[in-house]
Amino acid sequence: MRPRARGARVALTCALTLATTGAHAEPSVAARDEAKARFERGVGLLRDDALEAALAEFLASRRLAPTRGNTRNAAVVLRKLHRFDESMELFEALLREFPEQSAEELAAIRREIDELRGSVGELEIALDEPGATVLIDGKDRGRLPLGAPLRVSAGERTVRVLREGRAPFEERVSVAGQQRARVTGRLVAIAALGRLRVEEASGAGLELWIDGAQVGRTPWEGALAAGPHVAWLRGPAGTGSAPLDATVRADATSTLRVPARALSASLRVEADAPGVVVVDGVELGAAPREVRLPSGATRVEVRFSSRPPWSATVSLRDGETRVVRATERNVRSIGWEVSLDVGGGAGRTLGGELDATCKAGCERGLVLAGLARVGLGARLTPSLAVGAEAAWIGAGQALQGRSDVITPNGRGPAPGAVTDELRLRAYPVGAWLSLRHGARVSVQGRLGLGVAPHSVRDERRGQYSVDQLVVAATSTADGGGVSLYASPEVRASVALGARVSASAGLAVWVFSPLRPATRDATRDEVLLSSGDLAGHPRATLSGTWALVAPSVGITFSP
């Protein structure tokens, strides 16, 4: 059973007495001052019901200078967080390290321990694998043989046993309060092996952890099962690395160079059902999981076997310990996002019959364009999103020295050479789909499909030979049309916070006409410099064309 609230319980301490037990080395004055400041900060957080943050401050205070106050408060908060085995361990430390307390205080602590026993069980790991590492809910609990059962909180626990050259053993076990559960099994030899070499980028010697177990110090090289693994570094003063993907190839040596950085925050991910924790795109294993991370935005996902995945972007502050819990109530099967992208582009042609007549002696300028696009999307999974989009594209091109023919009224065709200044305005409207890989920094493939109503203006000036005279002509004509479009794109994005990300991409917009923009001869008469009226022949101003378009953008997830 779970401990019940009652008045006889050990009370929280709101003042810190800086008398430490002789079981610990005497802390420095600076350590005692920081311990007091962290304790007082923890009390303030506790008053605001910020349990996880308060616990982090009390534990930090205890590491600096263990006292009755910070030990007691950490034990009480752990109990409130249902981490009963850890709470019981600190209450026992309170008895062991501070025996000078009053008889009433000691009796209250013993009653607390007795009540916690109902929510604490034991796990016996009965695998004959000497030297193998035992992980319980992702925490290293020692090497086999353990010598004694492990104390754990009652409930569903994930047991993982690791040994070099063997496939990992993993099992979920239900542990009842005041009962002992037994885990049996064996580790199977790995058929396909590879080697992994891990180095810290500057050559420093840091602790190396692979798949949750410490395997040595960098530089390190060893044999592992071929396939994906998770590695991270731990160094002095809170340095190290966030978890990294370390994929090992069979019969080959893979090298991983990892730069150490400050890991100033901590994240614990819990779930109310079996699920796999993924942090910044790296799969860590079954929930719950704890991990040290740098401050900033972190993408967290829990992949459940029986319901849609849960995901969130968490902003971690320096010195913060954050606990997030994925439950059925806060699973979001759909996450909405709004994006705005702006950019430019270039192409070879706008297509159509005008372009087809730009041959010998005609100079075809580049199509230069600007664009803006707004999108509304639904993120169905952390990787897959769909949505709708609307865009504006403005493009221009010059055709210089193009051969043309006009027909003056009452005369035959008159040849000439002209320059066409083409101005296109397109308004694509359609749907998009994207696949994303990564979290804080991600790469996505995106495809847009739809229709693009457009208009083209042709400002034409040139000279024609009419009855052996050279006459000048200037005209302007507009045509409208509709095209189908496709816009495959690759984008890279970086999270700027919990809800905002910036991105850059490269797209190829391809347009194919359903109805091309056309210069209509029946509505296109021009006045020649000779005073005659003449008509241009009918011609399409747009056709099949493409635009290579880089862009930058911002995405907001409400």
Side-chain angles (χ1 to χ4, degrees):
M1 66 175 182
R2 289 183 176 177
R4 301 180 307 276
R6 55 184 177 83
R9 212 171 239 176
V10 175
L12 285 164
T13 299
C14 295
L16 185 67
T17 303
L18 289 176
T20 60
T21 175
H24 298 273
E26 186 67 23
S28 65
V29 173
R32 290 158 69 96
D33 289 344
E34 185 179 351
K36 182 176 181 180
R38 287 191 173 276
F39 178 86
E40 291 171 349
R41 194 179 307 147
V43 171
L45 290 166
L46 197 56
R47 289 186 178 126
D48 293 336
D49 205 30
L51 298 181
E52 293 87 1
L55 174 63
E57 296 298 337
F58 292 141
L59 291 177
S61 175
R62 175 172 162 78
R63 286 192 294 269
L64 290 162
T67 68
R68 283 178 294 177
N70 55 32
T71 304
R72 177 186 293 112
N73 282 14
V76 173
V77 175
L78 283 166
R79 181 194 64 210
K80 289 177 178 290
L81 291 171
H82 296 173
R83 292 161 65 175
F84 302 121
D85 57 330
E86 298 172 76
S87 175
M88 187 172 174
E89 185 176 313
L90 279 186
F91 276 121
E92 289 174 342
L94 200 57
L95 287 180
R96 185 175 59 253
E97 298 174 9
F98 305 98
E100 71 283 359
Q101 302 173 74
S102 69
E104 291 79 7
E105 290 175 321
L106 294 174
I109 295 169
R110 292 189 181 97
R111 286 194 298 271
E112 191 73 30
I113 293 172
D114 289 340
E115 191 170 337
L116 281 166
R117 292 188 201 280
S119 297
V120 175
E122 292 183 336
L123 266 177
E124 180 184 354
I125 312 299
L127 277 73
D128 185 19
E129 297 288 347
T133 300
V134 177
L135 306 176
I136 307 294
D137 293 336
K139 286 187 176 180
D140 190 339
R141 299 296 294 270
R143 307 292 181 269
L144 292 176
L146 296 173
L150 297 172
R151 180 189 288 170
V152 296
S153 292
E156 290 287 325
R157 307 271 72 87
T158 299
V159 179
R160 188 174 172 86
V161 182
L162 307 174
R163 185 179 180 186
E164 185 174 346
R166 298 282 195 272
F169 171 90
E170 185 168 309
E171 183 175 320
R172 282 188 69 85
V173 184
S174 180
V175 182
Q178 295 184 296
Q179 299 293 317
R180 178 180 298 176
R182 193 166 189 264
V183 177
T184 61
R186 65 188 184 90
L187 302 186
V188 179
I190 297 170
L193 284 174
R195 296 190 68 80
L196 178 66
R197 178 174 176 81
V198 183
E199 305 170 353
E200 198 281 323
S202 68
L206 276 66
E207 294 178 359
L208 172 63
W209 296 68
I210 296 178
D211 296 333
Q214 185 178 352
V215 297
R217 299 181 68 85
T218 55
W220 177 90
E221 185 174 326
L224 294 172
H229 297 270
V230 179
W232 62 85
L233 302 182
R234 291 292 179 269
T239 59
S241 75
L244 300 167
D245 176 69
T247 299
V248 175
R249 301 189 305 274
D251 302 320
T253 298
S254 304
T255 300
L256 191 63
R257 289 179 57 82
V258 185
R261 57 187 301 190
L263 303 178
S264 56
S266 181
L267 177 68
R268 177 181 173 88
V269 183
E270 300 176 347
D272 67 342
V276 175
V277 176
V278 181
V279 174
D280 287 337
V282 179
E283 186 175 302
L284 302 185
R289 291 284 156 163
E290 291 187 24
V291 60
R292 296 285 302 173
L293 295 167
S295 59
T298 294
R299 189 70 180 174
V300 185
E301 179 187 357
V302 178
R303 297 173 182 168
F304 294 105
S305 58
S306 58
R307 61 181 187 238
W310 173 93
S311 63
T313 299
V314 180
S315 292
L316 299 173
R317 300 187 302 272
D318 287 336
E320 180 183 15
T321 295
R322 177 76 66 86
V323 177
V324 296
R325 183 169 176 81
T327 67
E328 189 168 14
R329 287 180 302 172
N330 61 21
V331 166
R332 293 174 58 189
S333 57
I334 296 180
W336 298 99
E337 58 184 46
V338 179
S339 62
L340 174 64
D341 306 312
V342 295
R348 180 181 177 276
T349 175
L350 292 177
E353 293 169 347
L354 287 193
D355 180 78
T357 59
C358 186
K359 297 179 179 178
C362 176
E363 294 183 6
R364 180 188 290 108
L366 282 177
V367 176
L368 299 178
L371 66 89
R373 178 180 64 192
V374 62
L376 174 63
R379 187 152 295 282
L380 306 180
T381 73
S383 300
L384 174 65
V386 297
E389 64 181 9
W392 172 88
I393 297 176
Q397 184 185 31
L399 304 177
Q400 297 180 342
R402 185 180 64 83
S403 296
D404 190 35
V405 174
I406 61 171
T407 304
N409 291 344
R411 295 183 175 87
V418 298
T419 294
D420 293 277
E421 296 284 350
L422 301 175
R423 298 288 182 266
L424 177 143
R425 298 292 181 268
Y427 307 93
V429 178
W432 59 267
L433 176 146
S434 75
L435 292 173
R436 181 176 69 180
H437 176 72
R440 182 183 302 177
V441 178
S442 64
V443 177
Q444 63 177 302
R446 188 182 189 277
L447 175 64
L449 296 170
V451 296
H454 62 276
S455 64
V456 181
R457 168 165 289 191
D458 179 12
E459 296 179 353
R460 183 177 299 175
R461 61 185 184 276
Q463 294 181 329
Y464 297 88
S465 177
V466 180
D467 294 338
Q468 298 183 343
L469 295 176
V470 177
V471 297
T474 300
S475 66
T476 299
D478 296 294
V482 179
S483 294
L484 295 175
Y485 79 88
S487 57
E489 182 176 10
V490 176
R491 297 195 73 82
S493 64
V494 58
L496 303 180
R499 298 182 178 181
V500 180
S501 62
S503 66
L506 182 65
V508 178
W509 293 75
V510 180
F511 297 86
S512 180
L514 290 173
R515 178 170 57 84
T518 302
R519 183 165 186 149
D520 193 341
T522 63
R523 296 182 288 106
D524 191 8
E525 287 191 329
V526 297
L527 181 65
L528 304 178
S529 60
S530 62
D532 296 314
L533 286 174
H536 287 293
R538 180 185 179 91
T540 56
L541 304 177
S542 65
T544 298
W545 64 287
L547 187 69
V548 179
S551 65
V552 295
I554 191 164
T555 300
F556 175 70
S557 302

